[in-house]
Amino acid sequence: LQMLAEAREEFDMPFVAEILDPRDIELVSSYADILRVGTRNMANFTLLTEVGRQPKPVMLKRGFTATIEEWLNAAEYIYKEGNHEILMVERGIRTFETASRNTLDITAVPILKSLSHLPVIVDPSHAAGHRYLVAPLAKTSVAAGADGFMVDVHPDPELAKVDGAQALLPEEFAELMVSIRKLVAAVGKHG
């Protein structure tokens, strides 16, 4: 964590750290700018309650079998403890389809926007599981009204310790961002 904190200061880049255990919240939040509750912990109500008691923003990833109502209820555990800085992250749900890792529920974006004031971020990398799907899904998320998206990027995906198959090369990421800027302008958004 100390190394990440030093890199953040050197490059002026905030970083997100996933929190797995309520006992680690104080330590992790002393370094991280945003705490992430991953898909497998979306229903860990003790963890949700405790991250709600600290002031840093929280990214709440949707559980891979969770309904939108269950996901919003999980956010409520954080919200009721006083932390209203919650980012809802759609990362795909489990369906019978096997062509991708998960099925990106793009309908979740406008549904959440209609039911809540919370920002919606899409994670096409974890939904797709395949590099060639990431850019089209990122573009779709912007067109559907997402407030942002997050993608995996690696200079040599074959050597990545995790998730290399879904990681964009830096030049692919740069191309995606050029396309996204044009799309944002075309759909009348700012950013």
Side-chain angles (χ1 to χ4, degrees), residues 114-183:
S114 72
L115 296 175
S116 169
H117 68 284
L118 299 173
V120 181
I121 308 295
V122 174
D123 180 351
S125 297
H126 281 87
H130 302 287
R131 180 178 302 115
Y132 76 94
L133 293 172
V134 174
L137 293 177
K139 293 172 189 174
T140 302
S141 67
V142 170
D147 297 294
F149 62 88
M150 52 194 275
V151 296
D152 293 351
V153 179
H154 195 283
D156 192 348
E158 288 71 32
L159 296 178
K161 294 190 184 291
V162 295
D163 297 332
Q166 67 200 33
L168 297 178
L169 294 164
E171 56 271 17
E172 292 171 324
F173 177 70
E175 289 172 19
L176 172 61
M177 293 311 296
V178 169
S179 297
I180 291 295
R181 286 185 184 100
K182 291 176 184 175
L183 181 60

Side-chain angles (χ1 to χ4, degrees), residues 12-167:
D12 192 29
M13 287 179 34
F15 78 94
V16 178
E18 186 162 345
I19 191 78
L20 302 172
D21 190 313
R23 296 172 293 193
D24 297 331
I25 291 172
E26 186 176 342
L27 174 65
V28 173
S29 66
S30 70
Y31 293 101
D33 297 291
I34 299 175
L35 301 182
R36 180 175 66 217
V37 176
T39 186
R40 288 170 183 81
N41 277 306
M42 188 206 85
N44 181 338
F45 303 117
T46 302
L47 180 62
L48 297 174
T49 298
E50 292 302 318
V51 296
R53 292 180 178 154
Q54 61 79 47
K56 297 275 177 98
V58 177
M59 294 180 92
L60 180 60
K61 283 197 159 192
R62 183 180 184 181
F64 53 86
T65 61
T67 66
I68 291 173
E69 182 180 6
E70 291 165 337
W71 187 20
L72 283 169
N73 287 339
E76 191 66 31
Y77 274 86
I78 299 167
Y79 199 87
K80 74 179 178 63
E81 294 301 324
N83 189 331
H84 301 170
E85 301 296 320
I86 304 166
L87 304 161
M88 305 296 280
V89 182
E90 168 56 43
R91 44 83 62 207
I93 54 174
R94 182 182 297 161
T95 65
F96 56 86
E97 184 55 65
T98 59
S100 61
R101 176 188 286 162
N102 295 295
T103 297
L104 183 62
D105 183 4
I106 203 66
T107 61
V109 175
I111 291 171
L112 278 173
K113 302 293 267 177
S114 72
L115 296 175
S116 169
H117 68 284
L118 299 173
V120 181
I121 308 295
V122 174
D123 180 351
S125 297
H126 281 87
H130 302 287
R131 180 178 302 115
Y132 76 94
L133 293 172
V134 174
L137 293 177
K139 293 172 189 174
T140 302
S141 67
V142 170
D147 297 294
F149 62 88
M150 52 194 275
V151 296
D152 293 351
V153 179
H154 195 283
D156 192 348
E158 288 71 32
L159 296 178
K161 294 190 184 291
V162 295
D163 297 332
Q166 67 200 33

